[in-house]
Amino acid sequence: MTDRRLHTTCAYCGVGCGVEIPRSGDRDIQVSGLADHPANQGRLCVKGTHLGEILPLQQRLLRPKLAGKTVSWDTALDFISQTIDRVRTETGPDSLGFYLSGQLLTEDYYVANKLAKGFLGTANLDTNSRLCMSSAVAAYQQSLGEDAVPGCYNDLEQADLVILVGSNLAWAHPVLFQRLQAARKARPQMRLVVIDPRATDTSRAADLHLPLKPGTDGRLFNGALAWLADNNVLDTDFIDHHTQQFEDTLAAARHHAGANWAALADDCGLALVDLLQFFDWLTTTPKTVTAWSMGINQSRSGVAKSQAIINLHLATGRISKVGATPFSITGQPNAMGGREVGGLANQLASHRGFTETDCNAVTRFWNAPNLARKPGLKAVDLFEAAARGEIKVLWIMATNPLASLPDANRVREALARVETVIVSDVVTDNDTLAYADVILPALAWGEKDGTVTNSERCLSRQRGFLLPPGDAKPDWWAMAEVGKRLGYEAAFNYSGPAAIFAEHAAMSVFESAPNRQFGLQPLTNLTPREYDNLAPSQWPYDAEGRSRARLFGDGRFATANGRARFVPVAPAEPDAAGKQLRLNTGRLRDQWHSMTRTGLVSRLGQHRPDFCLTLHPADAAERDLLEGQPVRVTNAFGRFVAVLALDSSQRRGDAFAPMHWNETFAAAGGVARVIPPVVDPQSGQPESKHALVSVEPMSISCAGTYVAEHLPETLARGAVWFKRSLGAQWLWTLFYTNRTLSDISEHWQSVAPNTGITLTDSEQHWFQQASPSGQTPSYWLGLSDRQRPVPDTDWLQQHWQNDEVSLEDWLTGKPGEANPRGDLICTCYSVYERDIENYLTRHSEAGLAEVQRALKCSTQCGSCLEEVSGLVQACKVAAVTVETA
Ligand SMILES: Nc1nc2c(c(=O)[nH]1)N[C@H]1C(S)=C(S)[C@@H](COP(=O)(O)OP(=O)(O)OC[C@H]3O[C@@H](n4cnc5c(=O)[nH]c(N)nc54)[C@H](O)[C@@H]3O)O[C@H]1N2
Ligand SMILES: Nc1nc2c(c(=O)[nH]1)N[C@H]1C(S)=C(S)[C@@H](COP(=O)(O)OP(=O)(O)OC[C@H]3O[C@@H](n4cnc5c(=O)[nH]c(N)nc54)[C@H](O)[C@@H]3O)O[C@H]1N2
Ligand code: SF4
Ligand SMILES: [Mo]
């Protein structure tokens, strides 16, 4: 590590990029990609590039609270320990629940598990990873004998065929996508197949996009196995010597897929020629990587689908070889670390289960008085038990379940029913915090210190470089203090993360089963200094302490007999939609989950400013829905409102909405309200991608935009609002169904400070008022019963503090069409859709490289490269069409 720059890892996704930070101790910093981190080799995506912008203390949680009042840590911790102690005596340890997160550091996670499972005696400790990759975990455990990702990132670069299934890599794992794209550029013979019902930036970059019927992946992969068997592409030697149960699996696959390829294509909603092209490439390409993510995992048969993928790789021996592996990509920065310390309710620390042998080993290692000896409740079941009144204390840490679990209305009932809800977070405001009895301020990224493990098993240090603000404390510390207060002084007396990591590493090699892959042998005796300076490394390690990039290379798997298991599967498909639409949910490029951090960064909100439901134009027309109109999305579980967007690449019958919006950012909540609590029976992972919904138009009496620091009650009343950050101000989009323009404007004028300037039109269709900078409060309000009034937000942001601007200018705020420059494409250089289109109109010959040179877009982090290149291509096509027309 150099002296001037501190090395750490990114706060966000499972790619786990290394980041360099100036050692200024300042919150106003520019980060850069760490050149010698194996995950990113200097690259960063748009979220990583803008990490510095989540450091300001705006909306930061700084003090513990008990029943709404600020208290000292002592008071909060005494209360928690006394409550836990009372409850476990009165109703038993299983009325305690913990709900954790893949955004905790390994050290936090380790202490939580030790406290709950080892000392309190309950395994009712689960994590949001249940919603994320628990299906892949269960599949690896059954097929390979251990939850161990066999391949590494380099395999995606070395493969001749990369298949991305249910993954929007370009947006969700952008740096890995950039590595893949660079490899394709260097070796143009490499092929990329994307399997996703939806057209995405990832699919647009592919050689072949299979826009399959949602949920039919299992059938497709079973079909592929049958095809490969028919065409003698199986590795019979590998099957004979290193696997078991092949014949049954092949028979099941044949049965499930059927013998007719045209019928299979039809079942999967694919063109036969595309299906055969895919099968042909599979046949001829030994170096194949299949990488999958939430489009596979978040399903009622996520485990079986993952196994269908693994079966295919085992049958062809395409596993553990350079450029040939099945690869589940994890989402969160420390999803893997959580798996390592037993963060899931059905696991114990160090990849152990609840077998007699494992329980005894853990008891001995921890000297644990009350080890839980059976698996606990998985996330959806844990909240269901809570809603029934069976959980009395629920400690939620680094996750926002009311926004992310299915059936939000039931989760709300659960939170209301639990006697003591404890929430450890870093922000003052999220959906779940509203239900907390005790609120604990945790250290956030940049302040906390520990380790994380990325998607390819690479363990890196995440280092603190800022002083803790207010009373914020590490998550591990809060739990260790509770442990000590409950009388387990010796077990929880940690001096810091180095001591916790040392114990975790020692545990990983304690009475280890001979074929277990997970083990941190070379890291067991680190001095605190060595821990501080720890360089990134991948587990497992060989006898010399060197990382092994690929597992099972010798053909020995982690099962009892060393053979991988084929699993016969016929993955269940989601319910038929009938007249309803199928709601698919997922990520946007610039937002992270429930937006508690990225939602505060104005710039990151501009790429997709509105909470949109996207439909095919024909589906919208059938329902009399108009683009830009708010629509109500409903089913038996609940409803939410979003703004309608149309996209002719959307499959007929499918809808898409981002998972990010929730009650903090949208008055009528987000998608979680309509996701049914349907889970995979083996993994407990919810089916978050296939909710059936009805969509209806909302008739609007008035629409508005309000820019200020707070939304006053006069405007909030009766409004469906959405809010987004403009930095120091928020912008609220307002839709009213039963208040007229004159009703709202009159009420407003009767209570609002008349410091500004007002404008209405003679026909009373518009009302605008603004109170310029320098006035308190400053605000900008536009109301209309014709068209949603939107100011030029760039202009407003620039002039908010500028006293020179005339009142008239300030009032108009240069309003124009809703999105005058289109959506933001390049977040780093503020280049909008229209900027690129205008440039191309003026320079019709310009290609991608010239646009990049002229406008600088996609030359910093590269996250928008696919979008820019898409626009360049679209303009070329449009120009040709005009010329030939
Ligand atoms: N920008 C950004 N990046 C993130 C995150 C974020 O919040 N924002 N979160 C991180 C986390 S925790 C995770 S888990 C990952 C998730 O990363 P991804 O899994 O890549 O992201 P999603 O958008 O959830 O879903 C991927 C795709 O699955 C498709 N899909 C839906 N149904 C099906 C189906 O039946 N079959 C197939 N084949 N595909 C289907 C969707 O259309 C979608 O394009 O992203 C990580 N990275
Ligand atoms: N419909 C639908 N639902 C989904 C998904 C989907 O694709 N569709 N995806 C699912 C997936 S894959 C995931 S991973 C989940 C994510 O869902 P959540 O985990 O609920 O989402 P986050 O917004 O990341 O919540 C993290 C919380 O922790 C806080 N926080 C951040 N850092 C720290 C810290 O260091 N300590 C503490 N104590 N708190 C911190 C943040 O402010 C935030 O409130 O959503 C799942 N839900
Ligand atoms: S890909 Fe982007 S969000 Fe993910 S770790 Fe790297 S910089 Fe962070
Ligand atoms: Mo996730």
Side-chain angles (χ1 to χ4, degrees):
M1 208 187 314
T2 58
D3 276 332
R4 284 176 300 107
R5 309 281 291 179
L6 177 134
H7 295 181
T8 184
T9 41
C10 176
Y12 301 114
C13 87
V15 179
C17 297
V19 173
E20 268 197 333
I21 312 279
R23 280 181 190 272
S24 57
D26 203 337
R27 284 186 180 263
D28 181 15
I29 53 156
Q30 273 286 320
V31 311
S32 47
L34 179 56
D36 57 9
H37 194 286
N40 56 320
Q41 298 142 4
R43 297 177 175 91
L44 287 180
C45 79
V46 56
K47 293 188 303 305
T49 304
H50 297 281
L51 270 170
E53 291 172 43
I54 58 166
L55 295 176
L57 293 173
Q58 175 203 9
Q59 305 232 3
R60 185 71 160 78
L61 183 62
L62 296 172
R63 314 268 170 228
K65 282 191 172 173
L66 178 59
K69 293 209 177 64
T70 299
V71 293
S72 67
W73 269 102
D74 268 339
T75 308
L77 294 167
D78 287 347
F79 175 81
I80 294 171
S81 343
Q82 284 155 15
T83 309
I84 289 179
D85 203 27
R86 174 177 55 76
V87 165
R88 71 171 168 166
T89 317
E90 283 174 10
T91 45
D94 284 341
S95 39
L96 306 170
F98 289 76
Y99 187 52
L100 311 180
S101 160
Q103 293 166 72
L104 291 171
L105 300 173
T106 299
E107 291 74 3
D108 301 318
Y109 241 139
Y110 178 87
V111 174
N113 271 278
K114 183 176 179 185
L115 177 65
K117 292 178 183 161
F119 287 74
L120 299 177
T122 181
N124 285 342
L125 174 149
D126 209 38
T127 138
N128 64 358
S129 291
R130 183 68 60 194
L131 322 180
C132 186
M133 42 19 64
S134 58
S135 289
V137 169
Y140 282 135
Q141 284 168 335
Q142 287 177 35
S143 298
L144 310 181
E146 186 173 341
D147 171 23
V149 176
C152 60
Y153 294 159
N154 182 247
D155 288 326
L156 276 93
E157 297 167 321
Q158 299 286 333
D160 295 323
L161 173 63
V162 173
I163 305 163
L164 296 173
V165 200
S167 152
N168 184 6
L169 204 73
W171 282 14
H173 300 96
V175 165
L176 191 52
F177 181 74
Q178 286 176 23
R179 284 180 59 171
L180 172 64
Q181 290 295 74
R184 290 174 73 205
K185 202 167 172 190
R187 286 192 305 122
Q189 70 274 25
M190 242 179 111
R191 290 199 175 105
L192 174 64
V193 175
V194 172
I195 305 177
D196 191 319
R198 199 166 62 103
T200 61
D201 266 7
T202 312
S203 74
R204 280 183 270 270
D207 298 295
L208 176 65
H209 173 207
L210 298 179
L212 85 177
K213 194 172 133 207
T216 58
D217 306 80
R219 202 176 282 271
L220 179 66
F221 275 85
N222 273 339
L225 181 58
W227 170 277
L228 293 177
D230 289 353
N231 288 278
N232 298 321
V233 204
L234 302 187
D235 186 339
T236 42
D237 196 45
F238 183 83
I239 295 173
D240 289 348
H241 291 99
H242 304 294
T243 70
Q244 51 201 317
Q245 226 182 325
F246 174 67
E247 294 305 329
D248 292 351
T249 302
L250 179 60
R254 282 195 197 287
H255 181 74
H256 185 225
N260 180 331
W261 304 121
L264 175 67
D266 206 42
D267 287 347
C268 297
L270 297 171
L272 178 62
V273 41
D274 288 345
L275 180 93
L276 296 181
Q277 175 67 272
F278 172 50
F279 285 180
D280 180 49
W281 286 349
L282 269 177
T283 309
T284 53
T285 324
K287 285 170 91 179
T288 297
V289 169
T290 309
W292 76 97
S293 189
M294 294 311 123
I296 289 293
N297 292 345
Q298 289 174 340
S299 132
R300 68 185 63 193
S301 55
V303 179
K305 284 182 205 159
S306 301
Q307 279 160 342
I309 295 171
I310 297 171
N311 286 341
L312 189 84
H313 278 265
L314 289 174
T316 45
R318 294 172 188 172
I319 184 164
S320 315
K321 295 185 180 135
V322 176
T325 187
F327 196 140
S328 89
I329 311 167
T330 52
Q332 297 178 90
N334 199 30
M336 286 290 230
R339 286 148 81 158
E340 290 154 17
V341 299
L344 293 163
N346 48 327
Q347 285 185 284
L348 282 174
S350 301
H351 282 197
R352 290 177 169 94
F354 282 90
T355 60
E356 188 69 23
T357 321
D358 281 349
C359 285
N360 290 342
V362 173
T363 302
R364 271 194 292 279
F365 184 81
W366 277 341
N367 205 4
N370 308 310
L371 187 81
R373 290 196 161 250
K374 60 175 186 2
L377 295 170
K378 302 185 175 102
V380 172
D381 294 338
L382 178 66
F383 279 80
E384 183 49 39
R388 290 194 305 265
E390 292 161 20
I391 301 291
K392 310 289 178 202
V393 178
L394 182 59
W395 194 337
I396 296 166
M397 196 171 272
T399 176
N400 188 3
L402 191 49
S404 54
L405 272 172
D407 198 0
N409 290 328
R410 187 69 174 155
V411 174
R412 186 196 321 283
E413 285 168 22
L415 291 172
R417 184 87 193 261
V418 172
E419 284 163 22
T420 306
V421 176
I422 307 159
V423 178
S424 300
D425 210 288
V426 299
V427 295
T428 50
D429 198 11
N430 77 14
D431 291 19
T432 306
L433 277 162
Y435 290 82
D437 303 290
V438 188
I439 295 177
L440 302 176
L443 290 190
W445 184 83
E447 300 150 8
K448 60 183 184 177
D449 213 8
T451 54
V452 291
T453 308
N454 75 4
S455 280
E456 59 163 357
R457 296 174 271 100
C458 180
L459 189 154
S460 294
R461 285 280 276 112
Q462 206 179 88
R463 297 184 172 90
F465 52 92
L466 295 168
L467 290 174
D471 291 339
K473 293 278 192 190
D475 285 311
W476 67 262
W477 179 86
M479 288 176 293
E481 285 301 306
V482 168
K484 286 196 251 176
R485 279 170 169 75
L486 287 168
Y488 311 122
E489 179 70 34
F492 292 97
N493 196 14
Y494 296 111
S495 53
I500 304 169
F501 184 82
E503 191 179 304
H504 163 56
M507 189 173 197
S508 76
V509 296
F510 179 74
E511 298 182 9
S512 191
N515 52 1
R516 190 190 306 138
Q517 300 294 308
F518 177 65
L520 303 176
Q521 288 83 348
L523 312 181
T524 46
N525 283 313
L526 301 179
T527 63
R529 199 188 163 79
E530 284 167 337
Y531 174 76
D532 271 347
N533 293 331
L534 194 65
S537 69
Q538 255 169 324
W539 65 259
Y541 303 88
D542 64 16
E544 278 76 49
R546 285 185 304 248
S547 285
R548 278 200 285 127
R550 295 174 186 86
L551 305 185
F552 315 122
D554 57 359
R556 276 196 68 76
F557 290 85
T559 52
N561 65 5
R563 283 169 176 264
R565 277 187 216 107
F566 279 99
V567 187
V569 288
E573 286 171 22
D575 295 333
K579 287 200 160 59
Q580 287 179 296
L581 290 162
R582 183 183 305 284
L583 178 67
N584 175 7
T585 64
R587 273 118 189 115
L588 296 179
R589 195 192 74 186
D590 290 7
Q591 290 295 354
W592 178 260
H593 295 170
S594 66
M595 311 204 290
T596 62
R597 290 172 290 170
T598 47
L600 305 182
V601 181
S602 162
R603 222 201 269 250
L604 296 179
Q606 290 174 37
H607 179 240
R608 291 288 181 271
D610 287 330
F611 175 27
C612 287
L613 178 88
T614 306
L615 289 187
H616 188 279
D619 284 325
E622 266 176 19
R623 291 167 179 76
D624 293 328
L625 307 173
L626 297 174
E627 185 148 47
Q629 175 185 41
V631 291
R632 211 177 266 123
V633 184
T634 318
N635 64 15
F637 296 93
R639 57 165 60 174
F640 68 91
V641 174
V643 176
L644 186 72
L646 300 181
D647 182 348
S648 48
S649 72
Q650 184 76 16
R651 274 181 73 90
R652 284 299 306 272
D654 284 2
F656 178 81
M659 53 137 354
H660 305 293
W661 272 264
N662 48 66
E663 291 167 25
T664 307
F665 289 88
V671 294
R673 289 185 179 184
V674 303
I675 307 292
V678 170
V679 300
D680 180 295
Q682 298 178 73
S683 67
Q685 176 151 357
E687 184 166 79
S688 313
K689 298 247 183 289
H690 306 286
L692 301 184
V693 296
S694 301
V695 182
E696 306 150 6
M698 273 175 80
S699 71
I700 296 303
S701 52
C702 180
T705 296
Y706 184 67
V707 180
E709 277 175 47
H710 303 283
L711 181 68
E713 165 55 26
T714 21
L715 295 178
R717 194 163 8 103
V720 173
W721 53 253
F722 303 92
K723 85 175 187 186
R724 73 180 169 97
S725 169
L726 290 186
Q729 296 76 38
W730 292 97
L731 181 150
W732 283 269
T733 297
L734 304 157
F735 292 109
Y736 300 90
T737 49
N738 53 17
R739 290 181 73 192
T740 59
L741 175 70
S742 56
D743 166 45
I744 306 164
S745 58
E746 277 160 29
H747 268 99
W748 170 255
Q749 282 174 297
S750 68
V751 297
N754 193 7
T755 51
I757 174 169
T758 310
L759 188 77
T760 53
D761 65 330
S762 54
E763 276 128 42
Q764 306 277 310
H765 292 306
W766 290 91
F767 173 88
Q768 282 180 223
Q769 195 176 68
S771 176
S773 50
Q775 305 280 349
T776 313
S778 304
Y779 59 82
W780 190 98
L781 171 67
L783 295 165
S784 167
D785 60 8
R786 287 289 157 94
Q787 200 192 355
R788 173 176 147 198
V790 185
D792 180 338
T793 49
D794 280 353
W795 189 94
L796 268 189
Q797 272 181 291
Q798 271 168 29
H799 295 94
W800 200 265
Q801 298 293 349
N802 183 352
D803 294 337
E804 310 285 291
V805 176
S806 79
L807 278 180
E808 284 71 18
D809 267 357
W810 173 246
L811 173 65
T812 53
K814 307 279 181 222
E817 58 172 304
N819 235 346
R821 293 164 76 189
D823 285 341
L824 183 74
I825 301 287
C826 174
T827 305
C828 298
Y829 287 111
S830 292
V831 181
Y832 290 75
E833 214 172 339
R834 295 286 174 280
D835 303 337
I836 298 172
E837 285 166 5
N838 292 342
Y839 184 84
L840 288 162
T841 313
R842 281 182 278 116
H843 306 87
S844 55
E845 295 302 304
L848 175 63
E850 185 181 330
V851 171
Q852 286 178 300
R853 248 193 322 275
L855 304 177
K856 291 174 87 173
C857 47
S858 70
T859 56
Q860 169 78 24
C861 76
S863 278
C864 64
L865 184 60
E866 288 314 313
E867 277 159 280
V868 177
S869 124
L871 280 171
V872 172
Q873 267 163 28
C875 285
K876 293 255 177 295
V877 172
V880 171
T881 318
V882 169
E883 273 165 29
T884 53

